[in-house]
């Protein structure tokens, strides 16, 4: 929960209390201020929800990008190892041929 969500919930609760008290004592001004505060709190909480959703989506995209980068790095590393192994095999084959030619 971010600060906008928490603050929005507090404003809503405070506004609801003011509205109910205003209605109970017949003070329309207080009831209206309470409703306004409650509405402001709802908007603030909604803004906090939107910010949190955007933050979560950005984190998800970052994790996906890191995962793709790790897979690509692993793939390239495997290719390099494969090339190295094939090259070393060719070198070893050539050494064996040289030995065979010298001993013949």
């Amino acid at each position: 929960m971010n600060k906008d969500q928490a603050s929005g919930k507090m404003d809503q609760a405070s506004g609801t209390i003011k509205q109910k008290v205003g209605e109970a004592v017949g003070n329309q001004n207080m009831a209206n201020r309470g409703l306004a505060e409650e509405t402001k709190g709802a908007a603030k909480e909604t803004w906090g929800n939107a910010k949190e959703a955007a933050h979560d989506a950005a984190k998800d995209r970052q994790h996906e990008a890191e995962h793709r980068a790790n897979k690509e790095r692993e793939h390239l590393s495997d290719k390099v190892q494969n090339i190295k192994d094939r090259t070393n095999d060719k070198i070893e084959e050539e050494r064996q041929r040289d030995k065979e030619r010298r001993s013949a």
Side-chain angles (χ1 to χ4, degrees):
M1 179 177 287
N2 62 41
K3 67 179 184 174
D4 290 314
Q5 290 169 314
S7 176
K9 286 185 181 294
M10 293 298 292
D11 287 348
Q12 287 177 75
S14 173
T16 299
I17 291 169
K18 284 180 186 175
Q19 181 183 0
K20 298 299 179 189
V21 169
E23 289 170 355
V25 298
N27 185 335
Q28 293 302 310
N29 189 24
M30 178 185 274
N32 291 340
R33 283 195 324 259
L35 179 59
E37 189 172 335
E38 185 178 349
T39 303
K40 175 183 141 192
K44 199 184 292 186
E45 181 183 5
T46 302
W47 173 246
N49 292 342
K51 283 174 41 177
E52 184 175 71
H55 177 73
D56 290 346
K59 280 176 68 174
D60 288 346
R61 282 191 303 277
Q62 181 180 4
H63 288 295
E64 289 169 8
E66 288 172 0
H67 179 70
R68 282 192 308 273
N70 288 338
K71 285 187 78 159
E72 188 62 28
R73 201 171 18 260
E74 183 180 330
H75 176 71
L76 290 173
S77 178
D78 289 346
K79 277 187 161 185
V80 168
Q81 184 64 43
N82 189 330
I83 291 168
K84 179 183 136 190
D85 291 345
R86 286 186 306 170
T87 302
N88 285 335
D89 289 345
K90 295 284 185 185
I91 291 169
E92 190 57 38
E93 287 173 13
E94 194 57 39
R95 283 183 181 155
Q96 289 299 323
R97 283 190 204 128
D98 279 350
K99 275 186 182 180
E100 290 172 6
R101 280 187 225 135
R102 280 187 241 158
S103 62

